[in-house]
Amino acid sequence: MSSNVTIYDVAAASGYSLATISRVLNHPEKVKPATREKVLKVIEELGYRPNMVARGLASRKTTTVGIIISDITRASVAEMIGGIMDISDTYDYSIKIFQIHDEIQVKDVMRNVVAEQVDGVLYLNDELSEAATEEIKEVLKQSNIPFVFTNVINEDKNTASVAIDYLKAAYDMTRTLINQGKKHIYLLSTARRYTVNIAKEQGYINAMQESGLEPMVFRTSGETSINEVHFKEFFQNKPIDAAIAVRNSIAVSFMNVAIGKGYKVPEDIAVASFQNTRYAVLARPKLTCIDIPVYDIGAVAMRLLTKLMSKKTKDVGNTKIILPHNIIIRNSTN
Amino acid sequence: MSSNVTIYDVAAASGYSLATISRVLNHPEKVKPATREKVLKVIEELGYRPNMVARGLASRKTTTVGIIISDITRASVAEMIGGIMDISDTYDYSIKIFQIHDEIQVKDVMRNVVAEQVDGVLYLNDELSEAATEEIKEVLKQSNIPFVFTNVINEDKNTASVAIDYLKAAYDMTRTLINQGKKHIYLLSTARRYTVNIAKEQGYINAMQESGLEPMVFRTSGETSINEVHFKEFFQNKPIDAAIAVRNSIAVSFMNVAIGKGYKVPEDIAVASFQNTRYAVLARPKLTCIDIPVYDIGAVAMRLLTKLMSKKTKDVGNTKIILPHNIIIRNSTN
DNA sequence: CTGAAAGCGCTTACAG
DNA sequence: CTGAAAGCGCTTACAG
């Protein structure tokens, strides 16, 4: 429960005052090199580590960042957190995770993140309504907690964010298929209207309409087994020669059903997807997909947040970051 | 940075002292119902939420739990954290995540978790050497921080843990295949010797030897693309009629290569696996596997930890919990 | 460059 | 049942 040795012990053992010990840790340049050495030596000997809670109270900085997520078991969420943590480690920030499964919890969870005194927030939850999202922004602003939207689209020019251009990504992917001569291209999206998926849909629609083709969005649940049922109903002799799924799991599920029905992939139906997870590579055939740098999104967001938190300079530069994406062609398309 | 309203404000507005406000929050039974009501009302009106950092300092309890992991992007790790969080939410514990990628970091990270004053620790890192693991246990014990090993095997009868009986699970799976008449059954394991995989190997070996069959353990990297290369080399006309993989990704990768080489699954080679992730269901054919209740392991571990942390009763009961597993037969075996 | 003192926002014996 | 006071372990003006 307690790291026994405190700053008092270091002070006593070194013959200096609390203030000096604190200074060698927090403002080493303000202390004479000789005494700095001595103090450091005593700290080392005693194995002293400042109690972060006490430090947090006194300095009003907890060096802790809150991450607000929907569901940690989503591969992209976990991957983003991986990117976040690798950066937060180098900056010596701790990470605290808050999940919001249901909009009912918004108020409560937000009170919590405020009460926890986090220095900043990374907002990764893309499953909430716009109203709920705005409410969260409001709380954060009122509490003066810097935050960045991480892989969550937010129009507001003033809210820091990092994402990729999903609209363009979808557009590019659709164009690629159109250029291969595909005409009946479906978009397989989710029933729930995640902000990123809305952007993907728009990009797809733009590309289709631009070529005089009819956009067809098919919505399915995120749950794997339900997908299959949906997809089976789907194959009632509709003309289709390509499909773009917003997620790997949807793409693979679709592909399996199609192949089960006797279609050949990619000859009869080309299949493409977003993200580049292990599903894409473990699928047979391997999936053509848009490579979304999920890890980087997390890492870049965390780095941006550190700038926002150390508001020494008002000029943190651009706070609306778009990371590049690219298309990886594999065997599920020609 | 700050939730403006403090306990002083509540005291002033309600006409009671700090002590009373604090009591209605922490020991409501010690305060007269009438005043409790009044205070609660003021708290509500002012939207007061106690500063958790200050509370942590004063009470020496942070109501936060540290989770020590290797790699959050591993599906089972993320899933366990999901289970942990759902429980910690109901107990109003916060979660702080610490990762240890490399043994070099052990000392530093552990100093950190101690400095952060977490009330308890969930240890999920199964990638560390025994020596490093013992060192971690030592630090935790010295700092008097209760901890539970979560899906990490530890022989020590005194360390609380929750896991499944991997040895028996592997034994059962192997027996199942043997009973189906398989004779050349391989175990596809990892190069790195995770504690859980060592147990799986032992169970497999036991079952094979018991039936007079020769155990054959094939080790591969965890990295998907390398698996494939390894597996391709692997198929140099070895007699094989079944394989059990310690992970879904290994199983799927193996299956794909086998099918690519003209083998029929399950007719020529039956394939079984551990875990029951979405990979298992998205594979073609679908994977027979051991269903490991990963989410539950996390949830149960967290629940056990809460008991350990509230040491009112010395009798927390059994602290070595083994959760049940079961085999799910699908189309990758007959 | 260093120290004494106040303060961060709570909790918890100790009195009454 | 309630309040005054000390204390949790730090940091940071303020003096010197």
Side-chain angles (χ1 to χ4, degrees):
Chain A
M1 211 76 58
S2 59
S3 75
N4 20 28
V5 29
T6 74
I7 198 170
Y8 295 99
D9 302 319
V10 179
S14 66
Y16 287 96
S17 72
L18 295 197
T20 298
I21 312 303
S22 177
R23 276 194 212 96
V24 342
L25 258 17
N26 300 302
H27 311 286
E29 73 286 357
K30 291 186 180 173
V31 62
K32 189 163 58 174
T35 100
R36 194 194 307 157
E37 297 306 314
K38 288 184 204 160
V39 171
L40 249 16
K41 191 151 153 288
V42 175
I43 287 178
E44 180 59 35
E45 286 168 6
L46 269 47
Y48 168 67
R49 285 292 293 244
N51 176 324
M52 296 307 281
V53 176
R55 168 179 283 185
L57 219 210
S59 69
R60 279 78 158 309
K61 312 196 92 289
T62 53
T63 55
T64 297
V65 161
I67 304 183
I68 300 177
I69 61 170
S70 53
D71 178 4
I72 198 169
T73 65
R74 272 169 55 193
S76 57
V77 172
E79 184 99 5
M80 268 187 274
I81 295 178
I84 291 166
M85 291 191 70
D86 286 350
I87 301 302
S88 66
D89 278 356
T90 82
Y91 282 91
D92 283 325
Y93 271 94
S94 288
I95 245 57
K96 220 158 195 172
I97 301 192
F98 302 87
Q99 56 180 359
I100 303 182
H101 284 138
D102 191 303
E103 306 217 341
I104 288 299
Q105 311 175 64
V106 167
K107 211 173 293 288
D108 237 37
V109 173
M110 290 315 292
R111 288 178 148 222
N112 234 313
V113 348
V114 174
E116 295 281 4
Q117 311 289 117
V118 298
D119 291 345
V121 160
L122 256 19
Y123 185 72
L124 320 205
N125 193 322
D126 58 1
E127 303 194 14
L128 261 28
S129 71
E130 206 169 320
T133 303
E134 289 307 314
E135 183 182 346
I136 289 170
K137 278 170 61 176
E138 212 38 59
V139 173
L140 260 14
K141 280 181 192 165
Q142 284 195 8
S143 301
N144 230 304
I145 301 174
F147 60 93
V148 4
F149 273 47
T150 309
N151 205 36
V152 178
I153 312 291
N154 195 270
E155 299 301 338
D156 183 356
K157 272 300 165 204
N158 293 316
T159 98
S161 68
V162 5
I164 76 151
D165 188 342
Y166 285 100
L167 192 148
K168 181 162 191 318
Y171 177 89
D172 290 347
M173 189 75 251
T174 308
R175 289 289 317 167
T176 300
L177 292 172
I178 291 173
N179 290 342
Q180 290 177 0
K182 305 299 181 186
K183 304 228 173 304
H184 305 286
I185 307 170
Y186 275 76
L187 182 73
L188 310 178
S189 191
T190 50
R192 207 199 265 255
R193 313 194 94 244
Y194 303 100
T195 60
V196 295
N197 288 350
I198 293 173
K200 292 172 193 169
E201 290 177 19
Q202 194 55 56
Y204 158 78
I205 290 171
N206 290 354
M208 292 296 278
Q209 290 180 336
E210 190 180 294
S211 298
L213 298 173
E214 189 193 351
M216 292 167 294
V217 178
F218 181 77
R219 298 183 185 287
T220 180
S221 148
E223 218 269 279
T224 306
S225 56
I226 298 186
N227 283 347
E228 254 186 71
V229 175
H230 279 188
F231 288 164
K232 281 195 172 141
E233 292 169 1
F234 180 71
F235 280 101
Q236 308 303 9
N237 51 20
K238 304 191 181 178
I240 173 172
D241 53 19
I244 302 174
V246 296
R247 284 222 274 263
N248 279 189
S249 57
I250 294 177
V252 174
S253 185
F254 174 84
M255 203 159 67
N256 287 345
V257 176
I259 291 173
K261 288 280 182 186
Y263 289 90
K264 287 209 179 336
V265 175
E267 294 82 355
D268 301 333
I269 304 180
V271 179
S273 180
F274 273 82
Q275 296 188 297
N276 183 27
T277 69
R278 277 155 85 180
Y279 290 104
V281 178
L282 291 175
R284 189 155 37 84
K286 292 181 180 163
L287 272 178
T288 286
C289 59
I290 308 251
D291 189 21
I292 307 285
V294 184
Y295 176 94
D296 294 344
I297 291 177
V300 170
M302 180 64 208
R303 212 172 272 126
L304 174 57
L305 185 60
T306 63
K307 286 189 198 165
L308 262 21
M309 292 186 297
S310 71
K311 49 194 71 168
K312 304 165 190 169
T313 45
K314 201 59 202 166
D315 56 328
V316 292
N318 182 19
T319 63
K320 281 259 177 231
I321 300 179
I322 298 294
L323 261 27
H325 61 268
N326 59 295
I327 296 182
I328 299 178
I329 302 289
R330 286 196 272 244
N331 296 332
S332 66
T333 60
N334 328 72
Chain B
M1 209 74 62
S2 60
S3 73
N4 22 26
V5 29
T6 74
I7 197 170
Y8 295 98
D9 301 319
V10 180
S14 67
Y16 288 96
S17 71
L18 296 196
T20 298
I21 312 304
S22 177
R23 276 192 212 98
V24 341
L25 257 19
N26 300 302
H27 311 285
E29 73 286 359
K30 291 186 179 173
V31 62
K32 190 164 58 175
T35 100
R36 195 194 306 157
E37 297 307 312
K38 289 186 205 160
V39 171
L40 249 16
K41 190 150 153 290
V42 175
I43 287 177
E44 181 58 36
E45 287 168 7
L46 269 47
Y48 168 66
R49 284 293 292 243
N51 176 324
M52 296 308 280
V53 176
R55 169 180 282 186
L57 219 211
S59 69
R60 278 75 159 309
K61 312 196 92 288
T62 53
T63 55
T64 108
V65 161
I67 304 184
I68 301 177
I69 62 171
S70 52
D71 178 3
I72 198 169
T73 65
R74 273 170 54 195
S76 57
V77 172
E79 184 99 5
M80 267 186 276
I81 295 178
I84 291 166
M85 292 190 70
D86 285 349
I87 301 302
S88 65
D89 278 356
T90 82
Y91 282 91
D92 282 325
Y93 271 94
S94 289
I95 246 54
K96 221 159 193 172
I97 301 192
F98 302 87
Q99 56 181 359
I100 303 182
H101 285 138
D102 191 304
E103 306 218 341
I104 288 300
Q105 312 175 62
V106 168
K107 211 173 295 286
D108 237 36
V109 172
M110 290 315 293
R111 287 177 148 223
N112 235 313
V113 348
V114 173
E116 295 281 4
Q117 310 290 116
V118 297
D119 291 345
V121 162
L122 255 19
Y123 185 73
L124 320 205
N125 192 320
D126 59 0
E127 303 194 13
L128 261 26
S129 71
E130 206 169 320
T133 303
E134 289 306 314
E135 184 182 346
I136 289 170
K137 279 170 60 176
E138 211 41 57
V139 173
L140 260 14
K141 281 181 193 166
Q142 283 194 11
S143 302
N144 231 304
I145 300 174
F147 58 93
V148 3
F149 273 47
T150 308
N151 206 35
V152 179
I153 311 292
N154 195 269
E155 299 299 338
D156 184 356
K157 272 300 165 202
N158 293 316
T159 99
S161 67
V162 4
I164 76 149
D165 188 341
Y166 285 100
L167 190 148
K168 181 160 192 317
Y171 177 89
D172 290 346
M173 190 75 250
T174 309
R175 288 290 317 169
T176 300
L177 292 173
I178 291 173
N179 290 343
Q180 290 175 358
K182 305 299 182 186
K183 303 227 175 306
H184 305 287
I185 307 169
Y186 276 76
L187 182 73
L188 311 178
S189 190
T190 50
R192 205 197 267 256
R193 313 194 94 246
Y194 304 99
T195 60
V196 295
N197 288 351
I198 293 173
K200 292 174 194 168
E201 290 177 20
Q202 194 56 55
Y204 158 79
I205 290 171
N206 290 355
M208 293 295 277
Q209 289 180 336
E210 189 180 295
S211 298
L213 298 173
E214 189 194 352
M216 292 167 295
V217 178
F218 180 78
R219 297 184 186 289
T220 180
S221 147
E223 217 271 279
T224 307
S225 55
I226 297 185
N227 282 348
E228 255 186 71
V229 175
H230 278 187
F231 288 162
K232 281 195 173 140
E233 292 170 1
F234 179 73
F235 280 100
Q236 309 302 10
N237 51 22
K238 302 189 181 177
I240 173 172
D241 53 19
I244 302 172
V246 296
R247 284 222 275 263
N248 279 189
S249 57
I250 294 176
V252 174
S253 185
F254 174 85
M255 205 158 66
N256 287 346
V257 176
I259 290 172
K261 287 281 181 184
Y263 289 90
K264 288 210 177 336
V265 176
E267 295 81 355
D268 300 333
I269 305 180
V271 178
S273 180
F274 273 81
Q275 296 187 299
N276 183 28
T277 70
R278 277 154 85 180
Y279 291 105
V281 179
L282 291 175
R284 190 157 33 85
K286 293 181 179 161
L287 271 179
T288 285
C289 59
I290 308 252
D291 188 21
I292 307 286
V294 184
Y295 176 94
D296 293 344
I297 292 176
V300 170
M302 180 64 207
R303 212 172 272 128
L304 175 56
L305 185 60
T306 63
K307 287 188 197 167
L308 261 22
M309 291 186 298
S310 71
K311 51 194 69 166
K312 304 165 189 168
T313 45
K314 202 57 199 166
D315 57 327
V316 291
N318 182 20
T319 63
K320 281 259 176 229
I321 300 180
I322 298 295
L323 261 27
H325 60 267
N326 61 294
I327 296 182
I328 299 179
I329 302 290
R330 286 195 271 245
N331 297 333
S332 66
T333 61
N334 329 69

